[in-house]
Amino acid sequence: MTETVLTTLVDGVLTLTLNRPEKLNSFNEDMHLALRAGIERAHADPEVRAVLLTGSGRGFCAGQDLGDRDPRKGGPAPDLGQTLDTFYNPTLRLIRKLEKPVICAVNGVAAGAGANIALACDIVLAAKSAKFIQAFSKIGLIPDAGGSWSLARILGEPRAKALALTAEPLMAEKAAEWGMIWKAVDDEALMSEAVALATSLAAGPTLGLGLTKRLIQDAATNSLDQQLDLERDLQRQAGRSKDSAEGVTAFLEKRKPEFTGQ
Ligand code: T3D
């Protein structure tokens, strides 16, 4: 059987490639479980120091496989709250909680939950031809997979509401201009840029990068006082790491640091 998520580990970068290209990498249960297993591995495996998420074929991910939601097949309407609890939400939480950088290379259309999984990643690069679509309103649903949360925070209400209510596609360059993603790059350059970025982060001070990720995420809900306290606590931890000692030593010795991730 074809693997629904292709997995490689090279130079500390765990690349997870959504792999149902004939369905624009939309999610069936198998792909949900395989993606979650990949992120769980990233949590558990010290060899993994960064994650790169992308899609095979011409799309990144078209969200839920609607073939699995066909009302014409009869039976009771599915409990979509339960499918969010069972499949999407655990993966979203795992991505956000992973104290290692997660880079997303959006190689083509990202629709519905596919768009919002991309937005949950730490650094998003997209091919210039890629577009982001909050497709939910077209099928009578509401933005999920964290989209209502991330869009409102990243873009503010006016743009978040317009994207969610109209389901209008947002091209990668506009998404970058709006600050929704990090960069739009030429299609041919996407994977080489994404791999170079992920590889350089994987060679970085993983513990400090992980704490930095937590700090920035927590800033959204912390007061300044809480954030200052958190910076104090996490800096204490970072300052005791082997990589911090190596970074300072390398600076003083005028050489490149060799971080081990500890
Ligand atoms: O249900 C729950 O568990 C709740 C959670 C929901 C989360 C969600 O993500 S809801 C939103 C679901 N996604 C969508 O509504 C997007 C549906 N797809 C589209 O609107 C379009 O396909 C795109 C705008 C993404 C791309 O359009 P285009 O013209 O580039 O491609 P296409 O021709 O529409 O699609 C190519 C093939 O992929 C096509 O198959 P075919 O005809 O060649 O055999 C198409 O049916 C298939 N495909 C695309 N998206 C899905 C899909 N098949 C199943 N599910 C899809 N989501």
Side-chain angles (χ1 to χ4, degrees):
M1 209 175 77
T2 316
E3 285 176 79
T4 51
V5 174
L6 306 175
T7 306
T8 60
L9 177 60
V10 177
D11 295 335
V13 178
L14 184 73
T15 300
L16 301 172
T17 305
L18 306 177
N19 188 39
R20 302 184 71 227
E22 69 293 349
K23 300 276 181 196
L24 294 182
N25 304 319
S26 55
F27 276 97
N28 64 4
E29 289 195 9
D30 193 68
M31 197 172 91
H32 272 298
L33 296 177
L35 177 60
R36 193 194 306 169
I39 310 287
E40 278 168 347
R41 174 177 171 189
H43 275 263
D45 184 349
E47 297 293 308
V48 176
R49 292 173 61 189
V51 174
L52 173 57
L53 177 63
T54 191
S56 61
R58 72 174 176 90
F60 170 67
C61 174
Q64 177 61 40
D65 185 329
L66 297 177
D68 291 347
R69 298 284 179 268
D70 186 349
R72 296 169 302 180
K73 287 180 184 162
D79 177 351
L80 299 189
Q82 194 190 359
T83 72
L84 292 181
D85 260 348
T86 308
F87 295 111
Y88 289 96
N89 295 351
T91 299
L92 265 292
R93 290 189 174 108
L94 281 169
I95 292 173
R96 297 281 296 180
K97 284 193 180 139
L98 179 64
E99 293 205 343
K100 297 173 185 178
V102 182
I103 292 88
C104 186
V106 180
N107 53 300
V109 65
N116 295 337
I117 284 172
L119 297 184
C121 297
D122 302 316
I123 304 184
V124 184
L125 304 181
K128 282 184 182 164
S129 67
K131 52 192 169 187
F132 296 82
I133 311 176
Q134 294 296 318
F136 309 90
S137 63
K138 295 242 173 173
I139 52 168
L141 295 183
I142 56 102
D144 61 18
S148 59
W149 185 89
S150 48
L151 285 174
R153 272 181 170 69
I154 300 167
L155 299 177
E157 280 196 25
R159 284 171 170 167
K161 282 180 181 162
L163 288 179
L165 295 174
T166 65
E168 238 180 63
L170 185 70
M171 294 305 298
E173 284 182 284
K174 183 66 93 180
E177 200 183 298
W178 284 7
M180 197 177 94
I181 63 168
W182 170 237
K183 253 189 204 180
V185 301
D186 289 337
D187 288 20
E188 328 62 81
L190 177 70
M191 283 319 290
S192 57
E193 270 212 38
V195 169
L197 174 63
T199 306
S200 117
L201 288 168
T206 310
L207 188 142
L209 297 181
L211 297 179
T212 301
K213 169 173 172 173
R214 196 200 313 169
L215 195 59
I216 304 275
Q217 288 179 180
D218 286 4
T221 46
N222 276 348
S223 66
L224 176 60
D225 274 341
Q226 289 168 321
Q227 195 68 10
L228 290 174
D229 286 350
L230 186 62
E231 286 179 1
R232 174 204 59 211
D233 294 344
L234 299 191
Q235 195 67 295
R236 182 175 288 140
Q237 208 179 322
R240 288 177 180 150
S241 68
K242 285 188 183 158
D243 281 342
S244 173
E246 165 62 6
V248 175
T249 308
F251 174 79
L252 296 174
E253 292 176 356
K254 298 189 189 303
R255 61 173 173 80
K256 249 184 98 184
E258 280 183 35
F259 295 121
T260 58
Q262 295 163 313

